[in-house]
Amino acid sequence: MSARHDLLRQWLVAVLGREDFTLEPASADASFRRYWRARYPGHTLVLMDAPPAQEDCGRFVDLARRLRAIGLHTPEVYAEDRARGFLALSDLGDRLYLAELDAQSADRLYADALAALAVLQTRGPQDGLPVYDAPFLLRELEICREWFLGRHLGLALSAGEQAGWDRACETLVAAALEQPRVCVHRDYHSRNLMITEAPGPGILDFQDAVVGPVTYDLVSLLKDCYIQWPAARVTGWALGYLDGAVASGLLPALDPDQFMRWFDLMGAQRHLKACGIFARLHHRDGKPGYLNDIPRTLGYVREVAARYPELADLDRLLTGRVVPAR
């Protein structure tokens, strides 16, 4: 880390043509990326350190520019060194949605976030993005089976339980593939949205964007792994989104129950994956803090599995094996 930090400082001296700046940590990240805030007289920048062996900062640069071109508020890239994995970015501040969401502010903040999501889904880039196809979705679910069920909880599934798990995964993937495809941010939630002076939220961590199901980012936002709302309020926001999407032509007229089924099952896929990622961050990467978010995230899955008969196998596994093992 110290060698990378020295290289970053030397690069910034060359970029700015000055040395009278200070560097301080800007934010934590679940990936190998690190962020620093550079302060010098009258200005600040955010620096991304993305080690090339683990991260591709070129995708960030490309998508930042493509998303800014359609009017979304992503960081502006002032300087880049893709070979070494360094970027100098405009500073969107430090007012995360997560810190400022409460019962009074939620309607206003989510309205802004949903308006930005509508722009992403109607005008967002799709050329050159990976497709959220069946193998991709199944690989994500395997993260849960391997890291959360296996490594973290120490559960070895019986043949019957494995068959039930496979049936549940097939149900979740089929529901995802039924949906219209749009540009998907893939981590559209309260830790990646910023309150800024510019119209609309500042949007971060978009470099893993794909083409995929229309409800993916919606459920990421409204069934957030880091903050939870009453179910009735979530349903109201989701159906309000549906009305707007139909009115704009993004979606055809849909039965609300069908849409909410897509929403719920998409959330179950995402939240199972997230449980696996949180466990992997602890066991592989030495980041135990994310374990605190597993109960909330798993709770979303349990609620959905209990309500949908086609997820009865998953419900039995969670109730009979996972909950007791925790």
Side-chain angles (χ1 to χ4, degrees):
M1 176 63 71
S2 61
R4 289 285 300 175
H5 192 262
D6 289 344
L7 281 175
L8 183 65
R9 288 190 65 90
Q10 293 166 17
W11 178 72
L12 187 58
V13 169
V15 167
L16 296 178
R18 60 196 302 163
E19 299 184 18
D20 59 337
F21 58 81
T22 60
L23 289 180
E24 60 192 50
S27 69
D29 196 280
S31 73
F32 292 96
R33 293 181 297 273
R34 296 292 180 269
Y35 295 90
W36 303 86
R37 179 168 282 109
R39 298 185 184 276
Y40 55 101
H43 298 279
T44 64
L45 291 173
V46 169
L47 305 179
M48 179 194 293
D49 173 5
Q54 290 88 20
E55 303 288 341
D56 177 11
C57 68
R59 278 184 55 81
F60 182 97
V61 172
D62 174 60
L63 283 164
R65 289 172 175 158
R66 294 173 80 180
L67 296 179
R68 284 179 69 84
I70 62 172
L72 294 177
H73 189 194
T74 60
E76 186 172 356
V77 180
Y78 292 139
E80 58 183 280
D81 184 338
R82 298 191 187 192
R84 290 191 286 183
F86 297 147
L87 300 178
L89 310 170
S90 59
D91 188 353
L92 301 188
D94 55 10
R95 297 179 62 195
L96 285 178
Y97 259 49
L98 181 58
E100 303 202 24
L101 277 166
D102 57 32
Q104 288 69 47
S105 66
D107 284 333
R108 172 178 54 84
L109 292 179
Y110 281 137
D112 289 345
L114 291 170
L117 180 59
V119 174
L120 178 68
Q121 294 184 330
T122 56
R123 300 173 56 198
Q126 297 191 25
D127 293 347
L129 297 188
V131 175
Y132 237 153
D133 57 13
F136 198 154
L137 291 159
L138 287 169
R139 284 196 302 272
E140 292 188 333
L141 288 163
E142 178 62 14
I143 297 171
C144 179
R145 194 200 62 78
E146 177 182 356
W147 286 96
F148 179 56
L149 300 183
R151 179 68 179 275
H152 189 62
L153 299 182
L155 296 181
L157 302 187
S158 68
E161 288 169 337
Q162 183 63 53
W165 170 263
D166 291 342
R167 285 191 293 270
C169 290
E170 290 170 4
T171 295
L172 298 179
V173 170
L177 297 181
E178 289 173 6
Q179 302 179 38
R181 289 182 174 180
V182 295
C183 180
V184 174
H185 177 290
R186 208 160 157 237
D187 272 310
Y188 199 75
H189 57 66
S190 61
R191 286 186 172 175
N192 288 329
L193 296 173
M194 310 287 294
I195 299 172
T196 68
E197 293 182 0
I203 301 174
L204 306 175
D205 206 22
F206 43 77
Q207 64 280 338
D208 294 324
V210 296
V211 177
V214 70
T215 62
Y216 191 95
D217 283 339
L218 182 69
V219 78
S220 300
L221 179 70
L222 300 182
K223 289 188 175 182
D224 192 325
C225 295
Y226 308 111
I227 187 170
Q228 187 168 10
W229 302 100
R233 200 166 188 186
V234 170
T235 299
W237 285 325
L239 292 178
Y241 161 91
L242 173 62
D243 290 341
V246 171
S248 71
L250 174 64
L251 290 177
L254 287 172
D255 179 79
D257 290 340
Q258 171 65 49
F259 180 76
M260 291 306 299
R261 178 180 181 274
W262 283 350
F263 177 84
D264 287 338
L265 299 189
M266 189 75 262
Q269 189 275 345
R270 173 175 168 78
H271 293 129
L272 287 169
K273 173 189 72 171
C275 288
I277 289 174
F278 293 156
R280 186 173 68 185
L281 284 166
H282 170 56
H283 292 285
R284 188 191 71 182
D285 302 333
K287 298 179 179 180
Y290 291 92
L291 296 181
N292 297 328
D293 300 307
I294 288 179
R296 181 186 308 107
T297 305
L298 185 63
Y300 290 133
V301 184
R302 293 185 63 199
E303 187 273 331
V304 169
R307 286 197 297 112
Y308 286 86
E310 56 265 58
L311 294 181
D313 292 314
L314 179 61
D315 186 38
R316 281 191 291 271
L317 177 63
L318 296 177
T319 302
R321 297 288 309 280
V322 172
V323 173
R326 292 178 53 239

